[in-house]
Amino acid sequence: MITVQNLTKDYGPNRAIDKLNFTAEKGEVLGFLGPNGAGKTTTIRILTGYMPPTSGTAEVGGHDVIEESLEVRKLVGYLPETVPLYDDMRIYDYLKYMADLRQIKDPDEKIEDVLELIGLELRSQSLIKNISKGMRQRVGLGQALLHEPDVLILDEPTIGLDPKQIIEVRNIIKNIGKERTVLLSTHILSEAQQICDRVLIINKGKIVAEDAPKNLQSRLSSIQKVKVQVADGADKAATFIRDIAGIMNVKINNNGMIEFENRIEQDSRAVVAKTLVDKGFDLLELTPEIVSLEDIFLKLTREEPVISSTEVEVEHEE
Amino acid sequence: MRNIWTIAKKEYTGFFYSPIAYVVGAVAFLIMGIYLAYYLNIAILYQRVPDIRYILDVLVFPLFFLATPILTMKTLTEENKTGTLELLLTSPIRDHELILGKWFGTFLFYLTLIALTWFYPLVMNIVIEPGIDQSLVLANYIGITLMASAMTALGVCISSLFKNTVASMITSLGVLLLLWLASAPAQFLSGAAADFFTNLCITEHYYYGFREGVVSLSGISYYISLTVLSLFLGTRSIESRRWR
């Protein structure tokens, strides 16, 4: 549904995005992760037809975002980062206005459905200036969903929501993502981990990693950390573990658990378990520690050397 | 067409949510009411037929000159400032539909104000025997309406250029004043050059045409051309966001 090829945008001498290439398929939630100023909003604005790229192409539903901008805008439901609303309007009137602009048939019925979906059916007559930030966010999401778009583009959709609302909104996005294409820009890593089928990490206008959150985690963690718990004699058990080939940094933490590291391609867990059992220890726990998406994000977007996706592949292959 | 009407309707009703519109209306009717009372008193005291044109002049200056920048700055500058312009420009509406809708909504509000001022000629028509010159009143209203159309279009066009409401308002006021003073150089010129500057003046065609009861083609052409040109430039200004 979304195809981006060599997309570049310059603001004067500054390059906001640099030759971006990616696709998003139908029935996929694609996460767009990156620090502030990475180029997420610029990319989204190009995809929604708000601004043109300097070079490269972008297509939504087979329509070029510049040449067939109107067709693209019909297909896309968009929630900008700023959640633009008319403060002097009532929620219902605002949604009616947006529905009329999209020339939706039976707008009243659609508005009722959306109000129920975003949980504001009892507040439909509230003035927008009097509602909370979380409600504003939901109204913004509501207008993006009104015309049941094939492509939903959301720029930081859960900012300002309380934990309950965040869960609700994430569930809405997940459900929509089953049948349609969702492009979700966020800097909340756990959100990307929970909702997205695939994640693009963008930094300084370039894609530095692209994969499913789980795959990214496994691809990018060359060292595996493992925690071991035995019933008695942790010190002695640690000595035996140190003797196993390929195991590094064995230590005992404050809880009496043994921690060690091994290279991901030399998984030593089976050897460790066998050794400890053979030596007569009661093995209570042997758990690999999962590298969080947060670690990956920080690794990829830190100021110093930027690890490109190809470099990551090489590092993994070594 | 439907989009133009949707935007115009929202724009028009939006004026009634805004205190500025009520202030503009109240000030206009207060001043016109005072003028009406004053001229009726003068007419009674000096046994002179009161002239409706002095009352309608209030609509042109200061009302249109001062209210247009204030009322039109919210059309697009405010949308740009609050971010709602991004929402409109990513909706399936054409750029000219946006500009036409914004202009038409504002123009409709002016038409409402103008329509309400029919009260004054009606009162005059009742108190003066055998009534006022209705064709003169009609010519005045045609001129006022055309001028309102041109001024609101100009305001919407300038509003599309700014993100700062104060800058938009001051620029609108400046451009309107420039167009008002455009005939000044004509005093020092002669021939075609003098005619050019005279015809450029935004009030010239009203004061020396419609106000005198003359509905001239040149006057109608001037205001319609200014309206169309402003709306065209406003559309290009919005379109330019998609090039930059």
Side-chain angles (χ1 to χ4, degrees):
Chain A
M1 282 305 273
I2 300 175
T3 309
V4 168
Q5 284 181 326
N6 292 321
L7 202 68
T8 301
K9 177 73 185 179
D10 294 332
Y11 294 115
N14 302 318
R15 181 149 287 190
I17 52 170
D18 191 8
K19 292 178 182 165
L20 293 191
N21 287 290
F22 66 89
T23 56
E25 302 302 326
K26 194 175 178 184
E28 182 180 41
V29 181
L30 179 65
F32 218 42
L33 268 172
N36 291 334
K40 302 188 298 285
T41 300
T42 298
T43 311
I44 281 176
R45 284 181 165 173
I46 293 171
L47 286 174
T48 53
Y50 183 64
M51 59 162 71
T54 305
S55 63
T57 59
E59 285 182 3
V60 176
H63 301 285
D64 186 275
V65 293
I66 301 300
E67 302 296 325
E68 300 162 283
S69 172
L70 208 63
E71 292 305 315
V72 169
R73 285 181 269 155
K74 280 179 191 168
L75 289 177
V76 173
Y78 175 40
L79 171 64
E81 190 182 0
T82 50
V83 194
L85 303 173
Y86 297 101
D87 283 354
D88 290 335
M89 291 180 100
R90 296 183 191 282
I91 294 173
Y92 193 93
D93 295 337
Y94 170 73
L95 292 175
K96 178 80 167 57
Y97 177 53
M98 297 315 295
D100 287 344
L101 282 181
R102 292 197 169 271
Q103 304 195 355
I104 293 172
K105 286 176 187 167
D106 301 323
D108 294 328
E109 200 180 305
K110 283 281 186 307
I111 293 167
E112 293 295 339
D113 291 347
V114 162
L115 282 170
E116 197 183 330
L117 190 69
I118 59 175
L120 289 176
E121 62 269 51
L122 298 176
R123 298 296 302 269
S124 65
Q125 291 306 315
S126 298
L127 274 174
I128 289 173
K129 67 180 167 196
N130 294 335
I131 62 176
S132 68
K133 199 179 172 192
M135 284 185 196
R136 291 176 72 91
Q137 198 78 18
R138 283 190 278 166
V139 175
L141 184 64
Q143 67 76 25
L145 296 172
L146 268 175
H147 59 298
E148 298 178 0
D150 288 341
V151 177
L152 191 61
I153 298 181
L154 308 170
D155 202 352
E156 309 277 4
T158 55
I159 282 182
L161 301 181
D162 65 39
K164 187 173 170 278
Q165 292 167 344
I166 288 174
I167 294 167
E168 285 169 5
V169 169
R170 284 178 186 168
N171 285 336
I172 293 170
I173 296 168
K174 262 191 204 175
N175 284 332
I176 294 165
K178 285 175 189 166
E179 292 171 2
R180 295 172 206 158
T181 309
V182 181
L183 178 64
L184 171 87
S185 154
T186 181
H187 64 263
I188 305 167
L189 304 161
S190 59
E191 187 164 277
Q193 220 156 1
Q194 285 172 34
I195 313 176
C196 301
D197 300 310
R198 202 153 52 90
V199 170
L200 289 175
I201 298 181
I202 182 172
N203 188 38
K204 293 178 183 169
K206 290 184 176 178
I207 293 173
V208 290
E210 176 187 354
D211 213 332
K214 271 186 185 173
N215 293 349
L216 266 184
Q217 284 166 310
S218 59
R219 273 173 57 192
L220 292 166
S221 48
S222 55
I223 301 290
Q224 175 178 252
K225 203 181 245 185
V226 182
K227 281 183 178 177
V228 179
Q229 191 177 15
V230 288
D232 284 310
D235 293 340
K236 212 174 171 186
T239 315
F240 288 118
I241 293 170
R242 265 187 208 107
D243 292 340
I244 298 169
I247 285 182
M248 305 169 284
N249 299 330
V250 181
K251 57 186 177 188
I252 300 169
N253 70 17
N254 295 337
N255 303 326
M257 288 189 96
I258 305 160
E259 290 178 358
F260 69 84
E261 289 176 358
N262 59 247
R263 292 192 68 81
I264 197 92
E265 63 272 21
Q266 290 180 318
D267 192 351
S268 308
R269 284 177 294 168
V271 183
V272 169
K274 191 171 183 305
T275 306
L276 292 178
V277 172
D278 287 350
K279 297 289 180 190
F281 291 96
D282 293 329
L283 182 61
L284 302 178
E285 187 183 329
L286 193 144
T287 322
E289 223 175 54
I290 296 164
V291 179
S292 69
L293 197 58
E294 201 158 31
D295 295 329
I296 297 165
F297 180 79
L298 288 172
K299 188 177 176 184
L300 292 172
T301 59
R302 67 183 171 217
E303 285 298 316
E304 291 87 29
V306 176
I307 304 163
S308 73
S309 49
T310 48
E311 281 170 327
V312 170
E313 296 274 357
V314 172
E315 188 182 284
H316 178 58
E317 281 163 19
E318 274 170 1
Chain B
M1 193 65 195
R2 198 173 140 184
N3 284 336
I4 296 171
W5 177 240
T6 302
I7 294 166
K9 200 168 66 176
K10 190 251 161 202
E11 202 61 31
Y12 179 72
T13 49
F15 282 114
F16 296 95
Y17 296 129
S18 154
I20 296 171
Y22 290 102
V23 171
V24 167
V27 169
F29 292 119
L30 182 70
I31 297 173
M32 289 174 86
I34 291 168
Y35 267 53
L36 179 73
Y38 173 75
Y39 283 113
L40 284 179
N41 269 326
I42 293 283
I44 293 162
L45 278 172
Y46 298 102
Q47 293 297 299
R48 232 169 40 196
V49 177
D51 194 338
I52 184 65
R53 290 177 297 182
Y54 293 122
I55 295 158
L56 295 180
D57 281 349
V58 176
L59 272 178
V60 179
F61 200 95
L63 186 75
F64 282 178
F65 273 88
L66 296 180
T68 303
I70 297 169
L71 294 176
T72 55
M73 74 176 179
K74 73 181 271 298
T75 55
L76 285 160
T77 305
E78 187 88 2
E79 299 253 16
N80 199 354
K81 190 177 150 195
T82 57
T84 46
L85 188 63
E86 185 174 354
L87 201 66
L88 292 175
L89 294 181
T90 53
S91 298
I93 53 170
R94 292 177 174 86
D95 297 335
H96 71 265
E97 291 176 333
L98 175 63
I99 291 288
L100 281 172
K102 289 285 178 186
W103 164 75
F104 192 54
T106 314
F107 182 52
L108 270 182
F109 178 73
Y110 269 61
L111 283 184
T112 309
L113 277 183
I114 292 167
L116 289 172
T117 64
W118 274 91
F119 168 77
Y120 302 106
L122 276 175
V123 169
M124 274 203 169
N125 201 42
I126 292 165
V127 297
I128 294 169
E129 191 63 44
I132 57 174
D133 181 351
Q134 287 172 6
S135 57
L136 181 73
V137 172
L138 191 65
N140 267 262
Y141 271 103
I142 291 170
I144 286 167
T145 306
L146 286 169
M147 201 191 303
S149 162
M151 283 185 171
T152 46
L154 203 62
V156 169
C157 171
I158 291 164
S159 171
S160 71
L161 300 169
F162 292 93
K163 200 171 183 177
N164 182 306
T165 47
V166 177
S168 170
M169 190 179 76
I170 289 172
T171 308
S172 279
L173 184 63
V175 171
L176 285 175
L177 289 176
L178 265 179
L179 281 172
W180 178 48
L181 296 169
S183 61
Q187 294 171 25
F188 312 104
L189 299 165
S190 59
D195 285 348
F196 171 77
F197 283 106
T198 306
N199 284 318
L200 204 62
C201 174
I202 199 163
T203 51
E204 193 73 15
H205 297 278
Y206 172 71
Y207 280 125
Y208 300 101
F210 297 101
R211 193 175 180 275
E212 299 303 321
V214 180
V215 180
S216 67
L217 194 62
S218 66
I220 295 171
S221 308
Y222 173 82
Y223 290 120
I224 290 179
S225 302
L226 191 56
T227 305
V228 172
L229 180 69
S230 301
L231 295 176
F232 173 75
L233 292 176
T235 305
R236 299 301 278 177
S237 155
I238 290 292
E239 274 174 6
S240 72
R241 287 166 189 276
R242 302 193 202 276
W243 315 330
R244 283 180 267 169

